[in-house]
Amino acid sequence: STAPLVQRDYRFERVWFWGCIQGVRGAYYIAQGLGPDRAAPRSRLYSLNCLDWSLLTPATEEMLALAEEVKGRFQGDPSFEYSLAEINAEAAARLVQSGKEPVIKEETRLIATIEEIDRAVGIVPRGAFVKTPLGSVHENRHFEGLSLVEAKKLSSYFHFTEPANLKNKTLLEKADLDPSIDFLNSLEHDIPQGSWSIQLEKGGSVVVLRSLLWLGLTFYHVPMTKQFGYVYFGTGEKNLDLPFML
């Protein structure tokens, strides 16, 4: 396992294997390092061979906007450069004006894609995390897993990102919300509707959610236990056909 090595080298509290983005000529293996405050930006690392790990710089909004322009498969080479002039002349011109080369390195696209996947489909069960009055987020020591009934509902799973705006809830609904755990958006409002498949597997002992927007993202939770997590194995491309498939 890579985790102990990475944990030791970078002094993380916990390291987990995030997944793999498969390129044409090679794959990127990705891990995330967590500190005590789970709401703080995560440290992300990648490896081409699962032995040598490199820390990725944090994603910026500019990176995300540029990476949106790039379509098609990853190459599997972090230093590969996509020419922006061919993709978006305006974006290329802006980079040239600010004294930068009109290219996107694949490593930048990798950083942006991991961030985008985490924002869009990185999820946790309701109650797994608590927010303190001071705003930091911690694992909820009292979380014992979702009940079987709750585990089958999309509303029991939250996006683990800063909620841009908690979707407007009626006063009646607000009555049973707990601000310390209901500080994230649930999947029931995801657009397009139907972008998640939810299934009970292994004789009903495991709940599995799969994203149809980011094919290759699988989340699991064992009801009545603290066990949950997600992993991504895919090409790093968003399923832009989803609205037409539903």
Side-chain angles (χ1 to χ4, degrees):
S1 158
T2 54
L5 292 169
V6 174
Q7 202 161 342
R8 189 198 63 208
D9 294 349
Y10 293 96
R11 296 190 167 79
F12 294 128
E13 193 172 277
R14 229 178 96 214
V15 172
W16 57 285
F17 180 66
W18 182 90
C20 172
I21 290 179
Q22 188 66 51
V24 178
R25 297 199 291 271
Y28 295 102
Y29 299 95
I30 296 136
Q32 292 201 353
L34 304 173
D37 179 2
R38 295 297 193 250
R42 294 162 223 186
S43 298
R44 298 181 174 133
L45 306 104
Y46 79 93
S47 174
L48 299 168
N49 58 12
C50 288
L51 294 172
D52 310 303
W53 293 82
S54 313
L55 201 54
L56 291 165
T57 55
T60 63
E61 294 306 318
E62 184 193 22
M63 278 183 190
L64 287 160
L66 284 176
E68 277 275 274
E69 305 291 336
V70 184
K71 301 285 177 273
R73 293 284 305 273
F74 275 79
Q75 294 304 307
D77 168 7
S79 59
F80 179 83
E81 293 184 341
Y82 299 89
S83 162
L84 253 188
E86 295 164 24
I87 307 168
N88 180 331
E90 270 177 62
R94 277 200 303 276
L95 280 182
V96 171
Q97 273 169 352
S98 60
K100 296 175 189 159
E101 285 201 53
V103 294
I104 302 177
K105 270 201 158 63
E106 181 149 285
E107 186 174 87
T108 302
R109 183 186 179 194
L110 180 68
I111 291 167
T113 301
I114 298 168
E115 175 73 17
E116 201 188 342
I117 291 172
D118 269 346
R119 285 187 189 184
V121 291
I123 58 178
V124 295
R126 177 178 187 262
F129 290 87
V130 286
K131 188 174 194 167
T132 68
L134 297 173
S136 65
V137 174
H138 303 280
E139 280 168 32
N140 182 359
R141 288 199 303 270
H142 306 296
F143 176 69
E144 294 300 336
L146 297 171
S147 69
L148 273 168
V149 175
E150 292 298 316
K152 295 178 204 167
K153 300 178 192 165
L154 270 184
S155 56
S156 299
Y157 301 95
F158 289 163
H159 287 281
F160 195 54
T161 53
E162 274 305 301
N165 53 337
L166 268 174
K167 303 287 184 278
N168 300 330
K169 298 211 178 275
T170 64
L171 285 169
L172 267 176
E173 282 183 289
K174 278 194 177 125
D176 55 353
L177 289 186
D178 172 345
S180 71
I181 60 172
D182 292 304
F183 59 94
L184 300 164
N185 281 328
S186 91
L187 305 192
E188 62 184 328
H189 305 291
D190 280 15
I191 296 167
Q193 285 275 315
S195 60
W196 288 98
S197 89
I198 185 166
Q199 281 153 335
L200 284 170
E201 297 189 2
K202 293 205 162 73
S205 59
V206 184
V207 184
V208 175
L209 276 74
R210 291 186 180 86
S211 170
L212 305 178
L213 188 60
W214 288 94
L215 298 170
L217 188 290
T218 305
F219 166 91
Y220 73 93
H221 173 48
V222 182
M224 321 289 286
T225 76
K226 291 177 182 288
Q227 291 178 47
F228 67 87
Y230 64 86
V231 70
Y232 176 80
F233 280 95
T235 59
E237 296 168 284
K238 194 183 203 170
N239 179 13
L240 299 172
D241 297 329
L242 178 63
F244 309 106
M245 290 162 59
L246 297 172

